[in-house]
Amino acid sequence: MIETFLQRLEALIKKEGHSIRTFEIKCNISNGTISRALRNNKQFQIEVLLKIASQFPHWDFNYLIHGEDKESMSNLEGPSSNGHLKLLDQIIQLAEAAKKSAN
């Protein structure tokens, strides 16, 4: 079982056939953001997660973030569930609230 968010992210990136750099390019994420997070076991900003979600809407973000759905690794092609959409809505709301409080 994959224990951490970063380990699950790295496994999904590999499952999609990307290197870390090609994944960053596809998601329009700054060079080294993901590799530094993986190397240093550090999290990144919510905006990065939103960019990933926009490029990989078929990913199960309940699994990615919480590790809840063990079937996700074998079923990456399936459509998003209502639970997935609710989680993404929560992520977007958190990002918007963070932007408002920063201003």
Side-chain angles (χ1 to χ4, degrees), residues 59-70:
W59 281 12
D60 182 342
F61 282 82
N62 285 316
Y63 168 76
L64 181 62
I65 294 169
H66 301 291
E68 292 176 353
D69 183 4
K70 295 175 187 163

Side-chain angles (χ1 to χ4, degrees), residues 36-93:
R36 277 191 304 275
L38 292 169
R39 184 175 53 250
N40 300 322
N41 197 29
K42 301 284 183 185
Q43 300 300 320
F44 40 76
Q45 295 180 349
I46 190 78
E47 288 80 10
V48 173
L49 189 58
L50 293 172
K51 288 179 179 182
I52 294 168
S54 72
Q55 290 299 312
F56 295 93
H58 59 281
W59 281 12
D60 182 342
F61 282 82
N62 285 316
Y63 168 76
L64 181 62
I65 294 169
H66 301 291
E68 292 176 353
D69 183 4
K70 295 175 187 163
E71 297 299 318
S72 298
M73 291 298 288
S74 61
N75 189 22
L76 286 174
E77 302 304 322
S80 298
S81 68
N82 285 338
H84 174 151
L85 294 175
K86 287 178 185 176
L87 180 61
L88 287 178
D89 286 341
Q90 291 172 348
I91 292 168
I92 292 167
Q93 289 172 359

Side-chain angles (χ1 to χ4, degrees), residues 1-16:
M1 184 172 161
I2 302 174
E3 297 296 325
T4 70
F5 165 78
L6 290 172
Q7 290 171 334
R8 289 187 293 272
L9 177 62
E10 185 173 26
L12 287 169
I13 291 169
K14 289 179 181 176
K15 180 101 173 158
E16 289 282 337

